[in-house]
Amino acid sequence: MNNTELLQKQFAAISKAGNDVTLRSDNARAFVMDVVNSQSTLQKLPPYFAKSATGAIDKLGVKKRTLRQHQGTSTTPVGTDIAQETTVPYTLSPLYIDAWIENSNVFYTAQTRGQDVRQALTTLMQQQFGADLQDLAFNGDTDSADPFIKLKNGFIKQAKANAAVKVNGAALPTISELTEKVVGAFDNKYLNSEFMWHMSLKTSTHYVAEIQNRNTVLGDSAVVDGKLTNIAGFAVEIVDSMVDDVILFTPCANLTPVFGYEVSMQTAAADSNSVAKQATYHFLLTSADFVIREVKAIGIVTVTP
């Protein structure tokens, strides 16, 4: 049996009857991590796996200046709590993706990656789910008329309401203004070297053009191979699908996607629709929320023309 015949046999076994699978918690976690790792920015945001639909996560941050001098038997055990005592709530929402995947795409993916058919189907679903998840994580807005965007409030919507530092203007601020009005406005207790500028590719090109149009080279930003990599000593993260003219300034650790432990996958049995489309129907269900763990450690720049 050659490779093509083997793939066809695997595909027939999957599509001749419905496949409905709920993954165990450890497998579900591994599946979600594969989804997360399929996206360049999402994989940098530390996920939290929740055991219940609602709950709370410890706020981000570590108390400073907790060291004390040891005085032998005279030492008083104060017992400083390293973690912040307060928490931030989350509420998981069930999210699903369904798709018709063309048979030819499945075979191509399986052959080129050395996967079996089920692996190929899973990979295609994970990539699509990951792209949508990153989009929703940043751009979600329950007040939007868009049926996708209104699913959950994302980091931008939450930051507009609660960020410690907010800068709004008729146009994007200059690099000098970002340094002064954003970085300079933070309480030193929360500002650290892990902060990053999160922005869309188009927004980053605005600052690339500003740097290129300067008469003299200044050390407050950096462009490498035509890409903006640094502003005011802080790295720049280009976020695919993020809306333009918005900038978030915060550590990646402050932006937390929360996931449930249950993942359900189903492949519909072959029917006349599948034959006509030369495709199979797939359904993936899990739950998620997006949480800013410390609002005092995030800044947002917006534009109101």
Side-chain angles (χ1 to χ4, degrees):
M1 182 180 295
N2 60 37
N3 189 48
T4 300
E5 291 173 335
L6 179 61
L7 293 175
Q8 289 174 336
K9 183 177 180 179
Q10 292 171 350
F11 191 81
I14 290 174
S15 59
K16 73 178 181 180
N19 290 269
D20 190 355
V21 178
T22 298
L23 301 180
R24 296 197 318 265
S25 60
D26 54 343
N27 290 335
R29 178 170 179 156
F31 180 92
V32 171
M33 289 306 300
D34 286 340
V35 169
V36 167
N37 290 333
S38 71
Q39 301 302 307
S40 59
T41 299
L42 199 60
Q43 65 181 253
K44 298 175 183 177
L45 311 182
Y48 179 86
F49 288 88
K51 295 182 179 180
S52 59
T54 59
I57 310 174
D58 288 340
K59 278 194 173 184
L60 180 71
V62 174
K63 292 183 177 179
K64 297 182 179 179
R65 298 181 176 178
T66 59
L67 288 177
R68 291 175 174 79
Q69 183 176 356
H70 189 263
Q71 299 176 352
T73 58
S74 298
T75 301
T76 301
V78 177
T80 302
D81 185 3
I82 295 299
Q84 296 289 344
E85 290 88 350
T86 53
T87 58
V88 58
Y90 68 82
T91 301
L92 296 178
S93 295
L95 301 173
Y96 77 89
I97 182 173
D98 61 340
W100 285 97
I101 300 180
E102 294 183 6
N103 299 346
S104 57
N105 286 341
V106 176
F107 285 119
Y108 174 78
T109 302
Q111 288 176 324
T112 56
R113 298 184 181 180
Q115 300 171 320
D116 64 26
V117 170
R118 190 178 295 279
Q119 286 177 319
L121 289 168
T122 300
T123 297
L124 290 169
M125 292 292 286
Q126 286 175 324
Q127 290 174 340
Q128 182 59 59
F129 193 77
D132 286 351
L133 200 64
Q134 180 170 295
D135 188 350
L136 188 63
F138 281 88
N139 304 320
D141 183 349
T142 55
D143 293 327
S144 172
D146 186 295
F148 171 76
I149 296 298
K150 72 183 298 181
L151 288 171
K152 294 289 293 184
N153 280 332
F155 301 130
I156 292 174
K157 175 67 178 296
Q158 295 175 48
K160 285 181 178 179
N162 302 311
V165 177
K166 301 177 185 179
V167 175
N168 179 263
L172 286 169
T174 64
I175 290 174
S176 296
E177 289 171 336
L178 283 178
T179 304
E180 176 185 353
K181 296 181 179 181
V182 181
V183 180
F186 270 92
D187 185 331
N188 188 57
K189 175 182 178 181
Y190 297 99
L191 189 64
N192 59 56
S193 61
E194 299 300 317
F195 270 66
M196 300 179 70
W197 305 96
H198 303 261
M199 64 183 72
S200 71
L201 178 60
K202 183 177 179 180
T203 301
S204 74
T205 59
H206 168 89
Y207 290 106
V208 170
E210 178 185 335
I211 295 167
Q212 292 174 338
N213 290 332
R214 286 176 167 178
N215 293 325
T216 57
V217 177
L218 301 178
D220 59 0
S221 56
V223 174
V224 178
D225 295 330
K227 296 180 181 180
L228 183 66
T229 61
N230 184 288
I231 296 177
F234 298 95
V236 174
E237 175 69 20
I238 307 302
V239 184
D240 292 336
S241 301
M242 185 172 172
V243 294
D244 299 324
D245 296 336
V246 175
I247 302 172
L248 295 179
F249 182 59
T250 192
C252 284
N254 198 26
L255 306 177
T256 299
V258 181
F259 301 107
Y261 269 105
E262 188 169 290
V263 175
S264 298
M265 295 183 293
Q266 185 169 3
T267 301
D271 58 12
S272 58
N273 282 333
S274 299
V275 174
K277 295 176 182 289
Q278 284 297 286
T280 51
Y281 178 78
H282 303 272
F283 181 89
L284 170 62
L285 173 68
T286 188
S287 52
D289 194 10
F290 311 108
V291 172
I292 296 175
R293 300 183 70 164
E294 177 53 78
V295 295
K296 293 180 181 179
I298 188 169
I300 184 169
V301 176
T302 53
V303 174
T304 304

